Amino acid sequence: MDDTSRTYDVVVIGAGPVGENVADRTKAAGLSTVIVESELLGGECSYYACEPSKALLRPVLARADARRVPGLRKAVAGPLDVPAVLAHRDDIVFHWQDDGQVEWLNSVAVDIVRGHGRLDGPRQVVVTTPDGGTVRLTARHVVAVCTGTRAALPDLPGLDGVRVWTSREATSSSAVPGRLVVVGGGVVAVEMATAWRALGSEVTQLVRGSGLLAGREPFAGELVAEGLREAGVDVRFGASVTSVAREDGPDGEARITLADGDQLVADEILFATGRAPRTDDIGLETIGLTPGDWLRADGTCRVTAVEDGWLYAVGDVNHRVLMTHQGKYQARIAGAVIGARVHGEPLDDGKWGAHVTTADSEAVPQVVFTDPEVAFVGLTAQEAERAGRRIQVVDNDFQSVAGAAQYAEGFRGQARMVVDLDRGTVIGVTFVGPGIGELLQSATIAVVSEVPVERLWHAVPAFPTISEVWLRLMEAYRG
């Protein structure tokens, strides 16, 4: 048993990608840093979310693309090699071992304490180690909470006594369920419906609302729904689950009852209905905050409700943007801010600009790995109008893009550019279609850099690539 006390400049709770990046940056700033983790170093993204889900989806999308290329259809007409796909997924997540992450943290001289960390008053963290010991950590300057989120399950009759899938089980299952019911219409729901249908499951997707990917451009959800149905997914809108049960024990058939009285039977049920912060048992009550709440933070990721500025909340836990790449971005900003503040340096160092997380409110990029893919950044047309912007919406359906025809016969997709007419800049872009995820960075640069549309006219896309859609959007804008 380990019963010790240690003091560091910075204590980081949570060793996912966000916590690792905070620790890396504070250590690089010359601050002694320790990171606390109760599970695997590398976090949710590395083992149960982004990495394994994309490992499952990559062969699905590659096969779909190949089936659209003349000369390849017959070669990829058969089913996926399921054992090979699952084995590749296991390799991608290092078989749920974190030795590599341990080596990396050691290489940057960040100490690791394994166990459950809880705040115990200002700048104090008490860690209960796996062997029952206790390690008390004191932070001279900062405690950074990087504990992320967990799946939020709805309050449904019977759910507590029923074994269900969340995103963790959906990305780590070693077997293909014969019948899978997916509850939800967001990113996790559509991606997992795509993956498991292609791997052999009969998939029914239950969406409470009237469309998929709510909050995005409506055509994105419409095209994804069309793709799912063509793949054999039974997509049902306006479907609310009222109760769930399993017959004959935890491994028996699952029965789902809907608000209209209809019942479904499945082998597994995936609830992809939202996320909740992992703050219910990290000692928030010892510093006057409410357990289970999101930790609201300012643009430097410093928690606004805590005096003296010693507590930071970085990544999903602050509820600014729930995506790994945005959390890592926040971590880079927060690490630089902490170093500057401790050393009494100006936050605007003249090289990278002010250390404020502007990108998580103005230009958030995301790719949805479905067939077709969806990629977007910035504001939708509706969001821009609600914000009082005077805009022009420019659409293109890829029919006139030679690169799209080369990429896939019968390429179906749509692009939308939202232009702020008063500023003359692009403030939002959405692409839907096969293989369009790699277009997103060009759109992100255009939005973040506030490049005048008249200058974008001179950013000539290579022919024949899908990126020529930019030329078609510029032409439509100029009229």
Side-chain angles (χ1 to χ4, degrees):
M1 296 177 64
D2 191 1
D3 293 281
T4 61
S5 298
R6 308 177 195 173
T7 300
Y8 293 86
D9 293 324
V10 178
V11 177
V12 179
I13 306 176
V18 174
E20 289 178 331
N21 272 272
V22 171
D24 181 37
R25 293 305 172 108
T26 56
K27 183 62 181 179
L31 305 178
S32 61
T33 302
V34 63
I35 197 163
V36 179
E37 178 55 58
S38 60
E39 296 186 286
L40 294 169
L41 302 177
E44 196 82 3
C45 174
S46 300
Y47 304 103
Y48 299 107
C50 318
E51 296 280 8
S53 66
K54 303 316 167 281
L56 292 173
L57 286 159
R58 176 58 187 152
V60 176
L61 302 184
R63 182 182 65 166
D65 288 345
R67 285 177 168 176
R68 299 185 181 102
V69 179
L72 275 179
R73 289 192 185 93
K74 290 184 179 179
V76 293
L80 293 170
D81 183 342
V82 174
V85 173
L86 297 181
H88 173 64
R89 184 272 316 274
D90 294 351
D91 289 341
I92 287 291
V93 299
F94 301 100
H95 299 266
W96 292 276
Q97 299 293 319
D98 61 6
D99 296 352
Q101 298 304 112
V102 173
E103 290 178 8
W104 178 77
L105 284 168
N106 287 337
S107 75
V108 295
V110 170
D111 287 351
I112 304 165
V113 176
R114 290 189 182 269
H116 180 67
R118 299 183 83 257
L119 292 162
D120 188 31
R123 297 185 177 85
Q124 300 294 313
V125 176
V126 175
V127 184
T128 303
T129 60
D131 62 3
T134 300
V135 178
R136 176 173 287 276
L137 302 172
T138 299
R140 295 188 186 92
H141 302 291
V142 164
V143 174
V145 176
C146 308
T147 49
T149 59
R150 55 176 173 78
L153 293 174
D155 183 15
L156 287 175
L159 189 61
D160 288 344
V162 174
R163 178 183 55 78
V164 299
W165 275 12
T166 66
S167 54
R168 281 199 167 197
E169 290 76 20
T171 56
S172 63
S173 177
S174 60
V176 178
R179 299 161 298 177
L180 172 66
V181 169
V182 177
V183 183
V187 175
V188 172
V190 296
E191 287 189 347
M192 291 298 93
T194 298
W196 289 108
R197 174 63 193 134
L199 290 169
S201 294
E202 294 180 10
V203 178
T204 301
Q205 185 166 3
L206 305 176
V207 185
R208 185 171 57 183
S210 59
L212 301 177
L213 303 177
R216 305 318 311 165
E217 298 288 6
F219 66 82
E222 291 166 5
L223 288 170
V224 170
E226 184 180 320
L228 286 168
R229 283 173 169 151
E230 288 183 356
V233 176
D234 180 4
V235 182
R236 304 186 188 185
F237 296 118
S240 295
V241 178
T242 57
S243 67
V244 295
R246 278 195 185 271
E247 300 178 356
D248 303 320
D251 296 319
E253 286 186 337
R255 188 171 298 276
I256 303 100
T257 302
L258 305 183
D260 62 5
D262 194 10
Q263 287 194 336
L264 301 174
V265 176
D267 299 294
E268 301 293 352
I269 316 167
L270 165 60
F271 279 91
T273 51
R275 307 290 296 179
R278 289 181 179 271
T279 62
D280 50 313
D281 189 24
I282 61 168
L284 291 185
E285 69 279 3
T286 70
I287 57 170
L289 301 181
T290 304
D293 278 0
W294 300 97
L295 294 175
R296 306 296 179 177
D298 63 17
T300 67
C301 296
R302 189 157 60 177
V303 176
T304 54
V306 173
E307 295 182 357
D308 298 331
W310 60 270
L311 185 65
Y312 284 69
V314 193
D316 286 6
V317 75
N318 64 30
H319 207 224
R320 293 173 73 90
V321 183
L322 275 63
M323 280 180 276
T324 296
H325 48 275
Q326 293 298 128
K328 292 167 69 174
Y329 159 74
Q330 291 178 14
R332 294 189 291 269
I333 297 291
V337 165
I338 292 167
R341 283 175 170 158
V342 169
H343 295 307
E345 300 169 354
L347 295 188
D348 189 341
D349 60 13
K351 181 168 62 175
W352 291 104
H355 295 307
V356 178
T357 56
T358 58
D360 56 14
S361 60
E362 299 173 4
V364 177
Q366 186 171 8
V367 179
V368 185
F369 293 87
T370 46
D371 180 26
E373 287 183 354
V374 179
F376 49 84
V377 63
L379 301 178
T380 64
Q382 187 178 58
E383 287 171 336
E385 288 173 344
R386 282 202 302 260
R389 303 283 190 99
R390 194 171 66 90
I391 64 171
Q392 179 176 338
V393 176
V394 185
D395 288 328
N396 182 274
D397 64 2
F398 281 96
Q399 294 301 309
S400 59
V401 178
Q406 292 283 355
Y407 190 91
E409 187 176 58
F411 188 109
R412 287 184 301 171
Q414 187 171 340
R416 170 167 291 182
M417 179 175 71
V418 181
V419 179
D420 185 314
L421 292 175
D422 294 321
R423 298 163 64 190
T425 59
V426 179
I427 57 175
V429 180
T430 299
F431 299 118
V432 182
I436 52 75
E438 296 302 333
L439 286 178
L440 188 57
Q441 184 64 1
S442 60
T444 303
I445 291 170
V447 174
V448 171
S449 301
E450 299 181 332
V451 180
V453 179
E454 292 303 320
R455 286 302 303 158
L456 285 177
W457 176 255
H458 299 282
V460 182
F463 179 87
T465 65
I466 301 175
S467 63
E468 197 181 16
V469 70
W470 279 108
L471 174 59
R472 303 305 170 211
L473 290 169
M474 293 296 113
E475 289 173 336
Y477 173 71
R478 290 166 64 95

